[in-house]
Amino acid sequence: MKISQLLYILLALPVGLRAQVPRSAPPPRAANVQLTLLTRYTGKDIRLRWAPNRAGAWSLLNRAGYVVERFELDANGNKTNLRKLSVQPIKPEPLEQWARFAKAPQNENALIAAQAIYGKSFATKTTTLDAKADELTNRYSFTLLAADLSFEAAQAAGLGIIDPSVQLGRKYFYRLYAAQKLVNYAPVDTTLAIVDTRNIEQLPRPVWQQPNEGELHVDLLWNKSTHQNAFTAYYLERSPDGRTYQRLNQKPYINMDSEAEDKPDFIYTDSLKANYQPFYYRLVGISAFGEESTPSEPVKAMARDRTPPRAPFDVKAKSLGGKRVEITWNTTPEADLAGFYVGRSQNSLENFKPLITKPLFANSRRFIDENAEIDTTNYYLIIAVDTAQNAAASLSAYSIIIDSLPPSKPTGLTARIDKKGIVKLRWNKNPERDVKGYVVLYANQRDHFFTTAVKRAIRDTLFTDTLQLWTLTEKIYYQVKAVDKNDNTSGASNILEVGKPDIVPPSSPLFSGYEIQPKGVLLKWVGSTSKDVVQHRIYRKDPNEKSFQELTTALPNAPKTYFDASVRANTSYQYLIEAEDDANLLSVPSPVLTINVPDYTARAGTLNLRAQYNTAKKQVEINWQNPTVPNAYIVVYRAENGGAFTTLGTATKGVSQYQDQSVKPRVSYEYTTRVFYADGQSSPFGAVVQLTF
């Protein structure tokens, strides 16, 4: 912590307020006095500056004195060559020795320190009781300030010393402590510092912030955090041409404004006689050793006109029909008046937006708004601007516009419907600000008349409708209209088609017949009559199964037959069929169809089939031997020239011959037979005989 930082804390408040800092009661015994030690290597010698952190300790140490010891540090960091920098404890010089400063009035800081240390009284301009009670703190504070601004004053005040016997390239270890224990006061801690003479620390160069250019003044700014650890005070310099500079402050500038403590920048105000006369400014920092830094880079600034013109008055707004509004006003003529801007808002006090990008001429007193808002209020104000871009705004004026235009039609209509028939409609909010609500309409057909679903316009963009699902119509259609505050109604939104959830199962299909064949069972059915059927499901159960198992599915427009080739002989099967619609609803199953599958493998056919052409009768005579089975009949089949067999005729029970009278010469014929039994079963086809004549 810099010595001067403690001073800033004390001097940041006006003198009359410093009594608010706890000072009358001594600090707790457990809190030791801390010494702050600063060092600086100049290239020729090492300078040391120190101070205690309490006014009471400073007063006692002025009598006790300080001891400064120096060690050299070798390459391993070991301390060698102990030496005290003074034979006697370091104390303020006797009063008579301060007389030399009286002969050098330019070092007035030393005279201030002498008065603070030895003066019988040390009063400031503030003479309140609190200020007098704070005299010790003031003596302490001004002594530290004088020591910061003048190293000679620091030496005379016993707060600084020069060590000239140092050599380049070595490290030195310094130790500072009280020459003796303070009576009836807290212990004083020892403080340490190391100086490496291989490096000469240069003072940093101050840096400006961007200045504020005001009316007949310039505020010069520089950052606190960047400078306050390096400098105690400052000189500010000004030049009209950037070459020859003069100091604005003859005494070092120290910021003592308590109201500016929380601000990030130091500030110095340069009052000027005229605007628009540019100057160059430089900043010089003063360290705690009284050294002045290299001046900062110059910054250019000037005072500017910050006085706005007089505000326009008598502003009036008149509707001209449609979106056109005429605005008129008056103003006080001024030499630097540049023109006017026109602003419009829906609020009489804020959020005004300019209607033009370039100002109207200074002699303008009228403006027409060609695109006023017809769906809300319109407030207007006039802003006068001068040549320096200072502005002044008038009071606002209100224009009434009769709204006869409907809002735009709503967009973004969507719907969600659940299985209970509850529909939630949503749509986008209209861009017009005067829309007071929306009307929802519905119809059962797209081309039907749409009926309102609400008694009055609703404000929200959400509407819930409940549908009756046990109806013949599968869809419903919706539209939405917007209504403004003047009851102007928009066109209807695009029609939204909403499919109702299907809760009615399809009608049941029925078996229409079946055929038992040697290789399986052919099932036939009549499909469901419902239009939304997507498939039929066929199920079968045999005696060994507890429930029906699905055999297959069939599309509604596929053939209404299915051949079950997986049946077993001498087994009874049960079949049923049901329909499924596009909502995955299933019909009531059909009545169960029971089929007993016989055993075809044991059925005997005819034997010894023969065929002979009778020339006289011009017919083929076919003979065979019947199986010994009662009530069976034989079917005779014929094929021509290697073609497919077709039924030729039937022989009644017990007959074993058949005459084919429809034959032709030079045609190759083939004949075979099949036996059909009384229980509906049949034998396999018999032997085939061929005949050509």
Side-chain angles (χ1 to χ4, degrees):
M1 180 177 183
K2 285 181 59 62
I3 297 174
S4 57
Q5 286 181 281
L6 179 60
L7 176 64
Y8 289 154
I9 295 173
L10 295 171
L11 296 185
L13 298 173
V15 175
L17 297 178
R18 287 187 211 138
Q20 298 176 12
V21 179
R23 64 203 170 13
S24 56
R29 291 289 183 182
N32 292 354
V33 176
Q34 296 179 357
L35 298 178
T36 299
L37 175 61
L38 301 178
T39 62
R40 178 160 177 75
Y41 176 54
T42 65
K44 296 180 181 180
D45 54 38
I46 294 178
R47 301 189 175 195
L48 296 91
R49 277 271 292 110
W50 63 84
N53 66 337
R54 297 179 194 164
W58 165 77
S59 178
L60 295 175
L61 285 167
N62 283 344
R63 295 189 289 273
Y66 305 88
V67 176
V68 180
E69 296 177 341
R70 186 193 76 186
F71 298 87
E72 291 187 27
L73 295 178
D74 61 18
N76 297 321
N78 298 317
K79 296 190 289 292
T80 62
N81 300 327
L82 171 63
R83 176 184 176 184
K84 289 187 177 181
L85 296 189
S86 62
V87 178
Q88 298 297 326
I90 302 172
K91 302 178 182 179
E93 294 180 3
L95 181 59
E96 60 271 13
Q97 294 185 20
W98 292 78
R100 70 182 186 276
F101 295 112
K103 300 177 182 179
Q106 66 274 14
N107 198 342
E108 62 179 351
N109 292 300
L111 299 177
I112 294 175
Q115 179 67 23
I117 296 172
Y118 294 108
K120 292 183 179 180
S121 64
F122 193 80
T124 62
K125 292 182 180 180
T126 304
T127 58
T128 63
L129 181 62
D130 286 340
K132 291 181 179 180
D134 205 24
E135 182 175 331
L136 177 59
T137 299
N138 288 335
R139 289 176 181 269
Y140 164 67
S141 302
F142 279 93
T143 301
L144 294 190
L145 175 59
D148 276 354
L149 298 178
S150 169
F151 191 70
E152 287 184 88
Q155 291 176 281
L159 298 176
I161 193 172
I162 296 178
D163 182 5
S165 59
V166 296
Q167 297 182 24
L168 180 65
R170 296 191 180 185
K171 285 187 178 180
Y172 295 96
F173 181 93
Y174 291 94
R175 181 164 59 193
L176 172 71
Y177 56 92
Q180 56 183 284
K181 182 178 179 181
L182 302 184
V183 179
N184 297 325
Y185 207 83
V188 180
D189 288 341
T190 298
T191 186
L192 310 172
I194 295 177
V195 180
D196 188 346
T197 60
R198 292 174 298 180
N199 301 311
I200 300 177
E201 183 182 359
Q202 301 294 334
L203 285 178
R205 193 176 186 184
V207 179
W208 285 120
Q209 299 287 81
Q210 185 63 34
N212 294 329
E213 298 175 319
E215 179 94 14
L216 294 177
H217 74 273
V218 171
D219 291 332
L220 300 168
L221 307 172
W222 61 103
N223 186 261
K224 289 182 180 179
S225 61
T226 303
H227 297 84
Q228 64 185 2
N229 289 329
F231 303 114
T232 297
Y234 305 88
Y235 286 114
L236 296 100
E237 300 176 342
R238 184 179 69 190
S239 171
D241 54 12
R243 294 186 296 272
T244 304
Y245 285 85
Q246 292 183 344
R247 287 190 170 174
L248 296 176
N249 54 319
Q250 298 307 312
K251 296 182 180 180
Y253 171 79
I254 300 173
N255 191 309
M256 299 176 61
D257 184 3
S258 62
E259 296 181 357
E261 282 185 1
D262 297 331
K263 295 181 180 178
D265 298 321
F266 294 120
I267 182 170
Y268 180 89
T269 300
D270 183 21
S271 299
L272 301 170
K273 295 181 179 181
N275 294 326
Y276 302 107
Q277 180 181 352
F279 289 97
Y280 297 86
Y281 294 92
R282 296 193 312 192
L283 182 65
V284 177
I286 305 173
S287 75
F289 292 88
E291 300 169 297
E292 294 185 10
S293 71
T294 301
S296 69
E297 287 288 340
V299 63
K300 187 178 180 180
M302 61 182 173
R304 297 178 181 273
D305 177 13
R306 300 301 186 189
T307 303
R310 296 182 182 178
F313 58 91
D314 196 21
V315 180
K316 297 178 181 179
K318 178 182 178 182
S319 174
L320 300 180
K323 295 184 176 182
R324 303 180 78 240
V325 174
E326 178 188 52
I327 304 99
T328 59
W329 65 91
N330 281 315
T331 190
T332 302
E334 296 180 75
D336 63 345
L337 182 63
F340 303 93
Y341 285 96
V342 182
R344 184 183 68 202
S345 174
Q346 282 72 56
N347 187 291
S348 63
L349 299 176
E350 59 185 1
N351 296 328
F352 282 87
K353 296 181 179 179
L355 297 180
I356 51 178
T357 57
K358 294 182 180 180
L360 302 173
F361 291 117
N363 59 355
S364 301
R365 298 294 183 272
R366 178 176 178 269
F367 177 80
I368 294 182
D369 181 7
E370 300 286 352
N371 195 31
E373 301 285 353
I374 61 173
D375 57 356
T376 185
T377 55
N378 290 273
Y379 289 91
Y380 295 91
L381 59 72
I382 307 300
I383 301 172
V385 293
D386 62 17
T387 55
Q389 298 302 304
N390 299 306
S394 69
L395 297 176
S396 60
Y398 173 64
S399 173
I400 299 176
I401 298 179
I402 298 176
D403 179 13
S404 61
L405 297 178
S408 58
K409 70 176 186 179
T411 61
L413 180 60
T414 60
R416 293 181 62 181
I417 185 170
D418 62 18
K419 293 183 178 181
K420 295 181 180 180
I422 298 176
V423 183
K424 292 187 179 296
L425 296 172
R426 293 182 182 274
W427 56 92
N428 297 331
K429 184 178 180 180
N430 267 53
E432 295 83 11
R433 289 181 290 267
D434 65 339
V435 169
K436 70 176 182 180
Y438 301 87
V439 176
V440 181
L441 305 100
Y442 74 95
N444 290 319
Q445 295 290 338
R446 182 181 291 270
D447 56 350
H448 283 189
F449 177 78
F450 279 76
T451 304
T452 56
V454 293
K455 294 182 178 180
R456 61 181 62 87
I458 59 176
R459 299 183 62 181
D460 201 357
T461 56
L462 170 67
F463 176 73
T464 301
D465 196 11
T466 302
L467 303 181
Q468 178 59 254
L469 300 181
W470 291 92
T471 61
L472 297 177
T473 57
E474 296 183 352
K475 297 179 180 179
I476 190 169
Y477 301 85
Y478 288 99
Q479 285 184 312
V480 178
K481 294 181 179 181
V483 181
D484 66 17
K485 295 178 180 178
N486 291 318
D487 292 326
N488 298 311
T489 303
S490 73
S493 68
N494 294 337
I495 296 175
L496 176 65
E497 179 182 277
V498 180
K500 297 180 181 179
D502 188 359
I503 62 172
V504 181
S507 61
S508 299
L510 297 172
F511 285 113
S512 60
Y514 67 92
E515 293 181 13
I516 302 175
Q517 300 180 8
K519 295 185 179 181
V521 175
L522 179 66
L523 300 173
K524 301 177 182 179
W525 67 84
V526 177
S528 170
T529 59
S530 299
K531 295 181 180 180
D532 58 350
V533 169
V534 295
Q535 62 182 359
H536 293 94
R537 297 180 178 271
I538 296 92
Y539 300 87
R540 186 189 74 184
K541 184 171 79 69
D542 65 26
N544 296 325
E545 295 173 333
K546 295 182 179 181
S547 60
F548 282 88
Q549 305 297 320
E550 184 177 293
L551 282 178
T552 187
T553 60
L555 298 176
N557 50 357
K560 305 296 189 296
T561 61
Y562 175 71
F563 187 76
D564 182 7
S566 63
V567 296
R568 300 187 303 273
N570 296 323
T571 304
S572 178
Y573 291 94
Q574 292 181 317
Y575 294 89
L576 61 81
I577 184 172
E578 63 184 9
E580 181 181 358
D581 65 14
D582 55 8
N584 299 323
L585 298 175
L586 297 175
S587 70
V588 175
S590 68
V592 176
L593 172 65
T594 302
I595 300 176
N596 296 314
V597 179
D599 185 1
Y600 281 95
T601 59
R603 303 296 175 168
T606 61
L607 301 173
N608 301 322
L609 180 65
R610 301 180 302 278
Q612 184 178 3
Y613 180 66
N614 189 325
T615 305
K617 295 182 179 181
K618 297 182 179 182
Q619 63 183 19
V620 174
E621 295 175 349
I622 305 164
N623 298 281
W624 61 84
Q625 181 181 344
N626 285 322
T628 57
V629 178
N631 299 324
Y633 64 92
I634 289 80
V635 177
V636 181
Y637 300 89
R638 184 184 74 178
E640 298 180 7
N641 294 326
F645 281 97
T646 59
T647 301
L648 180 62
T650 301
T652 58
K653 300 175 182 178
V655 177
S656 59
Q657 63 178 359
Y658 186 83
Q659 291 80 33
D660 182 6
Q661 299 176 348
S662 59
V663 295
K664 300 177 183 179
R666 295 181 295 278
V667 177
S668 177
Y669 292 99
E670 292 177 301
Y671 296 94
T672 188
T673 60
R674 193 176 185 184
V675 179
F676 287 86
Y677 293 83
D679 61 0
Q681 305 301 315
S682 62
S683 71
F685 286 96
V688 177
V689 296
Q690 185 178 6
L691 181 64
T692 303
F693 53 90

